Amino acid sequence: MKIETTQNKEKKIDTGIATLLTKDAYKHGKPTEDVFVLVAGDKDYVPTVNELRKDGYNVEVVFWNHAARELRDSATRFIGLDQYLEHLRL
């Protein structure tokens, strides 16, 4: 019997999002025009970001500054939200 953990459920959600991003890119995207914006900090998204970038898409990652280094480095652009924290508290 396989026990479903919170980590396993989270991994399935990450994989599902990555699948939908990729599917959307290939069905509707225009590599020279479209930008994917991913609001996440998990390094599980790195393979998806890398594949989209190889195909000519720009991928921006928006997350707190503690996002995984691998994800930050794979993105076309990283936008850290820490600088906006005070504005978000209002």
Side-chain angles (χ1 to χ4, degrees):
M1 181 169 127
K2 184 177 178 183
I3 298 173
E4 185 96 25
T5 65
T6 303
Q7 187 175 8
N8 289 345
K9 288 179 184 177
E10 189 176 308
K11 181 79 68 185
K12 286 180 184 178
I13 291 169
D14 291 350
T15 305
I17 292 170
T19 300
L20 291 174
L21 277 171
T22 306
K23 181 179 176 182
D24 192 53
Y26 291 108
K27 286 180 84 175
H28 308 290
K30 297 178 181 105
T32 57
E33 298 174 25
D34 293 337
V35 177
F36 282 87
V37 179
L38 176 65
V39 182
D42 192 328
K43 68 181 180 181
D44 290 343
Y45 293 105
V46 170
T48 301
V49 172
N50 286 340
E51 287 301 313
L52 289 168
R53 299 246 358 247
K54 273 197 316 192
D55 290 339
Y57 290 95
N58 287 313
V59 181
E60 297 181 356
V61 173
V62 179
F63 204 70
W64 306 109
N65 291 348
H66 68 271
R69 171 62 56 197
E70 298 94 331
L71 182 61
R72 293 172 64 149
D73 291 346
S74 67
T76 308
R77 179 175 143 190
F78 176 77
I79 302 167
L81 293 175
D82 288 20
Q83 62 185 328
Y84 303 106
L85 186 58
E86 286 305 314
H87 298 290
L88 296 172
R89 288 184 182 174
L90 300 175

